[in-house]
Amino acid sequence: MGVKHLVLDVNIIIDWWLNVGSAEATHSLIETARQRKNNRLWVVASSIPILDFVARRAFKQHGKTPKETQQIVARLIEQLLEDVQVLSNHGFEQADVYKVAENFEDAQITAALRSLPKGQVRIITENTDFDHLGEVETLTPQAGLAWVTGETTLTGSIPFIDLATQQACLRPQLERSIEGVLRHGQYIMGSEVSLLEAKLVAYTGAKHCITVASGTEALLISLMALGISAGDEVITTPFTFVATAEVVVLLGAKPVFVDIEPDTCNINARLIEAAITDKTKAIIPVSMYGQPADMDEINAIADKYNLPVIEDAAQSFGATYKGRKSCNLSTIGCTSFFPSKPLGCYGDGGAIFTNDAVIAQACKEIRVHGQSRRYYHTRVGVGGRMDTLQCAIVLAKLARFDWEVEQRIAIGQRYNQLMDEAGIQRVQQRNDRTSVFAQYTVLVDNRVEAEILFREAKIPTAVHYPVPLNEQPAYQHLCCTDCTPIAKDRAQRVMSLPMGADLNEIDQAKATEILSVNKQTPAT
Ligand SMILES: Cc1ncc(COP(=O)(O)O)c(C=O)c1O
């Protein structure tokens, strides 16, 4: 499960530099760990001045001049930092280990390790004092090598979405980015906001990006920018998170639900035209589970009736459709940076994308209470800004986003292969687009029994979503309830499995095995 984290103690690094003691094993360990994607090497920030001090003293004792010593040590530390990441000691004074540790150096290392996922961390050291603290296991460099290369999986339950491993891998970038905001103190509309918008424009290829307070706010502001109001109709899917239709109702308009495709669970483009009336003002397809819908067909129908299309891309940031990026597939694209989304922040956040300068300007104004300039309100708006800290977090997360998208696609395909071999029905993907698998979702006939089996195996599952929106108590009076039979059926049968860029093959196989057992279990 997850990534193995190896934290190098000072003594190990010094021996390696001086080529004494366990230097050879440490060298092999670092080389091996570097080459494996499921390992991370760390040095705690407080160890660096100690390394500097001890190394200088050692080289001086070996007869080097102060100038030579300075150059050698600076080069060694620089090289070290190419191979290992720096783990910070923030909050050390709040950790009580320093009261019981042999010295402050050990206490600082131990306290810093608390930010890494428990059970997945080992200190590489010859110093057994750490063992008395009972917080983290220690390994010699030789034992560390065996741990890294061994097939032993880490114990513990599988997280549904492994944000802890992602955070551990991005810890230095995240801390640097957050620290930057704390230093300049512009918590609203700080420089990170426009920097993120520029990066997202470059990523998606859309001309404009407006960051907003959440995915829900992105949809609401987009509809407001298009002038959707009471009496209007907006065509969408009932098989989605409630926010897609909620914003339509909030504006006094009516969601008109069109059924989904049985295989992808996306809106069925062939059914849209029949739902268009004189009151129709927009179409909102949802890129469900991370895969865009039939956007060419939907855009063609929309063009025929002169309607805007808003892609609800809350689950699909990073996906592509015929080579183009999700969020840049129609009039407007809206995404969410909710923490569990493919690109998530550590709170609420979202973004609107468009190639239309007039819509972009309207969205920008609506996001700040309809202001065109300070305290001059040209239209009715909302308080819908994404705060600077959340933008800083997304900026840090971009550091490994391309890799994560590749991993998600590969892991989704591996799941597909396992499910197909085991004869388990699953949501399908089309060849002309990619899914970022915000969820990996299968179809089961006896979901209650399957949930029990997964719970017993300590593997979390979820249902996205158990009730179609046209059957929800707050919405059923607005629309027909039995008009979307495929959505109704899928709501009873879908089940999402653990998914994420750091998910390993063993856990995927375990989940598949449970589904195979469940297939043999009669439904109650
Ligand atoms: C399809 C869909 N639309 C909209 C949203 C709303 O996004 P947020 O939670 O950021 O408001 C979500 C998030 O769960 C979603 O999955």
Side-chain angles (χ1 to χ4, degrees), residues 18 42 46 80 111 149 181 214 242 267 273 329 440 447 470 521:
L18 297 177
W42 297 94
S46 54
L80 177 75
T149 51
V181 179
S214 67
V242 68
I267 191 167
E273 192 161 7
L329 303 176
Y440 187 84
R447 193 163 67 195
N470 47 354
T521 318

Side-chain angles (χ1 to χ4, degrees), residues 201-220:
V201 157
Y203 185 85
T204 57
K207 280 200 187 125
H208 308 276
C209 168
I210 302 101
T211 55
V212 289
S214 67
T216 308
E217 209 75 7
L219 291 164
L220 179 68

Side-chain angles (χ1 to χ4, degrees), residues 299-485:
N299 286 331
I301 299 162
D303 281 350
K304 187 169 158 191
Y305 293 90
N306 202 19
L307 295 170
V309 175
I310 303 175
E311 181 200 5
D312 181 344
Q315 303 182 6
S316 61
F317 192 83
T320 54
Y321 174 84
K322 301 185 181 177
R324 299 195 321 273
K325 287 265 165 48
S326 173
C327 290
N328 186 26
L329 303 176
S330 56
T331 324
I332 299 177
C334 292
T335 199
S336 161
F337 301 127
F338 187 82
S340 58
K341 297 294 188 223
L343 180 62
C345 57
Y346 288 157
D348 277 311
I352 301 168
F353 297 85
T354 184
N355 290 315
D356 184 315
V358 175
I359 292 176
Q361 185 57 31
C363 290
K364 268 187 201 158
E365 291 178 12
I366 294 167
R367 150 176 96 166
V368 280
H369 306 283
Q371 275 186 171
S372 53
R373 57 191 155 91
R374 200 164 169 79
Y375 303 136
Y376 189 80
H377 304 273
T378 14
R379 52 177 105 227
V380 175
V382 293
R385 293 161 305 217
M386 180 163 167
D387 68 66
T388 314
L389 270 170
Q390 297 306 337
C391 290
I393 285 156
V394 177
L395 279 169
K397 291 235 191 154
L398 287 176
R400 69 168 211 163
F401 187 64
D402 284 339
W403 176 83
E404 286 185 1
V405 168
E406 272 174 36
Q407 283 295 113
R408 281 179 168 280
I409 293 172
I411 289 168
Q413 284 167 351
R414 197 190 305 144
Y415 256 143
N416 281 348
Q417 194 185 339
L418 289 169
M419 295 305 154
D420 293 349
E421 282 165 10
I424 290 152
Q425 241 188 308
R426 59 176 173 88
V427 170
Q428 302 282 329
Q429 292 81 38
R430 301 248 186 273
N431 291 333
D432 57 359
R433 63 204 80 171
T434 58
S435 173
V436 280
F437 294 99
Q439 314 296 343
Y440 187 84
T441 306
V442 293
L443 302 172
V444 288
D445 291 326
N446 42 356
R447 193 163 67 195
V448 173
E449 287 80 1
E451 281 169 342
I452 293 168
L453 290 176
F454 275 103
R455 218 172 300 131
E456 282 167 358
K458 294 193 170 51
I459 298 179
T461 58
V463 175
H464 303 97
Y465 296 93
V467 183
L469 297 187
N470 47 354
E471 297 195 8
Q472 292 282 2
Y475 292 83
Q476 59 194 171
H477 67 284
L478 293 166
C479 40
C480 62
T481 46
D482 275 328
C483 53
T484 58

